[in-house]
Amino acid sequence: MAIQVYRNGSLSAVSLQGFVLVGFGGGTETQALLFAVFLVLYVATVLGNLTMIVVITLDAHLHSPMYFFLKNLSFVDLCYSSVIAPNALANFLSSSKVISFVGCATQLFFFSLLATTEAFLLAVMAYDRFMAICSPLRYPVTMCPMTCAKLVVGTYCGGCLNSIVQTSLTFQLPFCSSNHIDHFYCDVPPLLQLACASTALNELFLFGLCGFIIVSTTLAVLVSYGYIAVTILRMRSGSGRHKLFSTCGSHMMAVSLFYGTVFVMYAQPGAVVSMAQGKVISVFYTLVIPMLNPLIYSLRNKDVKDALWRLGQRHNLVKKGGK
């Protein structure tokens, strides 16, 4: 596939195999260690999120808006980790580490789409908790199945819009003859470092769009939980207050982890400069957070633990019946 590159001060088209994902560097032992770490994180992510999806789907007690959104969060976490991890694992065992231009653009598109969708989805989940706690009488009508479905579709539409803008602007740039990406997957900041033309517009859109998304969704979360905190503190029932704080605390923990790392990477001026720091941060929000989310929501949520116990009991009964 041909791309535009600068040679001797002039723009020309050359045919290259694709980009090379430099990754973390290091010798064979380092690559083997990183492979093991990534594999453990990815397997835990897949098992944890698949378990949440299956439990919420099969247990009728969890067929509510809150768990509908949680199931979609697990699906998004599962997908966007899968966009990154399998290719990274293959590259740890490969000497070439080449990714085609189409593959790179596809990876960037889906990663941006799913990461942005998660940001919007976390805000929607905060709104759901706000309606459930602050307006319990109106909640069944306001958060009916059709409304929940529209909200989820809206999160994907928002993610798709940001992804289209970022991917199209990035791959319209002319790239230099050096096609080595200083990262373990295709992302906007390391790709901008390979561009020969001015990247001011790209950096403006990266900072502007990502900043707007993170700030607006964070404000939505903070406002929602501000009202929730006031409502909970007014409650007379200590047990009800504890349950609500536990449920909302899980969500706030997930929100803080995700928004905090994404803000450091994308929503501050000059964030595209330090790729060494960016790689570590990227591991955190592409693998660690998707792995932690099911643990956060299951270990701190009595309803999910009860559902897991019921499914276990049902499985044991089926096994005894089969015998």
Side-chain angles (χ1 to χ4, degrees), residues 83-262:
V83 169
I84 305 300
N87 185 70
L89 288 168
N91 283 339
F92 287 133
L93 303 177
S94 170
S95 57
S96 64
K97 306 182 188 298
V98 172
I99 183 170
S100 68
F101 296 109
V102 173
C104 187
T106 302
Q107 187 180 58
L108 173 60
F109 176 83
F110 282 105
F111 171 71
S112 179
L113 185 156
L114 293 164
T116 307
T117 298
E118 175 148 345
F120 285 122
L121 189 55
L122 289 170
V124 168
M125 291 172 70
Y127 174 72
D128 170 70
R129 292 298 81 207
F130 161 73
M131 292 301 301
I133 295 169
C134 300
S135 301
L137 297 179
R138 295 172 51 196
Y139 181 69
V141 177
T142 305
M143 301 302 290
C144 65
M146 181 60 69
T147 300
C148 293
K150 288 179 180 178
L151 286 171
V152 169
V153 171
T155 64
Y156 280 97
C157 290
C160 190
L161 179 61
N162 181 53
S163 183
I164 289 172
V165 171
Q166 299 292 355
T167 306
S168 59
L169 283 177
T170 300
F171 281 88
Q172 284 178 358
L173 291 168
F175 294 103
C176 299
S177 54
S178 173
N179 60 346
H180 287 62
I181 299 175
D182 188 16
H183 216 312
F184 63 94
Y185 67 92
C186 292
D187 198 7
V188 176
L191 282 167
L192 294 186
Q193 293 187 342
L194 302 183
C196 296
S198 171
T199 61
L201 180 62
N202 299 73
E203 292 183 26
L204 179 63
F205 269 94
L206 178 67
F207 173 65
L209 275 177
C210 292
F212 171 76
I213 291 168
I214 294 171
V215 170
S216 61
T217 52
T218 301
L219 281 175
V221 170
L222 291 176
V223 170
S224 296
Y225 278 98
Y227 279 106
I228 288 171
V230 171
T231 303
I232 291 176
L233 291 173
R234 289 175 178 172
M235 289 183 174
R236 294 181 180 180
S237 171
S239 60
R241 185 185 303 178
H242 174 74
K243 182 179 179 180
L244 289 174
F245 264 128
S246 177
T247 302
C248 296
S250 300
H251 187 209
M252 283 303 295
M253 189 183 301
V255 167
S256 301
L257 287 170
F258 181 79
Y259 286 154
T261 51
V262 172

